[in-house]
Amino acid sequence: QVQLVESGGDLVQPGGSLRLTCAASGFAFSNYAISWYRQAPGQEHELVGTSPSGGDIANYDDSVKGRFTISSDIAMKTVYLQMNSLKPEDTAAYYCTLHCHYWGQGTQVTVSS
């Protein structure tokens, strides 16, 4: 069955960096794009971006463009979310998802001094 497992969340100071990992299994990874969402307390899920797939490049929400980068390792069936220049407003639980049908359990990112 499809499994998505996120890791890498942590407490980081403003301006710092983190790399989140989404390990995927149970489907033909190379055929699909994986999206990252985040949810802050009391707020709706927000799309962060979607991995490159099938010749398409990665795309990002305007709030993270230039700071976040999504990449894929097909051999490892893993998608990465590199987050630089982190801001307190980036604090949220981060989830990877396949077509918004399958979701991981999430990993918490807290940006605070």
Side-chain angles (χ1 to χ4, degrees):
Q1 71 276 23
V2 174
Q3 267 198 314
L4 300 167
V5 180
E6 303 95 336
S7 61
D10 205 346
L11 169 64
V12 62
Q13 292 189 344
S17 298
L18 276 178
R19 188 177 79 161
L20 305 185
T21 298
C22 174
S25 61
F27 63 99
F29 181 83
S30 60
N31 292 346
Y32 297 95
I34 297 293
S35 295
W36 284 95
Y37 278 74
R38 64 186 180 185
Q39 186 175 28
Q43 298 189 20
E44 299 289 324
H45 276 91
E46 174 189 32
L47 175 64
V48 174
T50 300
S51 68
S53 175
D56 293 334
I57 62 173
N59 58 79
Y60 305 91
D61 183 76
D62 286 345
S63 64
V64 306
K65 275 182 184 175
R67 300 188 297 123
F68 290 12
T69 303
I70 299 174
S71 60
S72 298
D73 184 329
I74 293 176
M76 296 297 292
K77 297 185 179 180
T78 300
V79 176
Y80 302 100
L81 175 62
Q82 177 67 44
M83 305 186 294
N84 299 327
S85 302
L86 282 161
K87 305 175 181 180
E89 51 263 44
D90 295 317
T91 295
Y94 283 71
Y95 301 86
C96 58
T97 178
L98 172 62
H99 288 182
C100 294
H101 185 72
Y102 299 97
W103 294 80
Q105 83 288 351
T107 186
Q108 179 66 37
V109 173
T110 302
V111 184
S112 175
S113 54

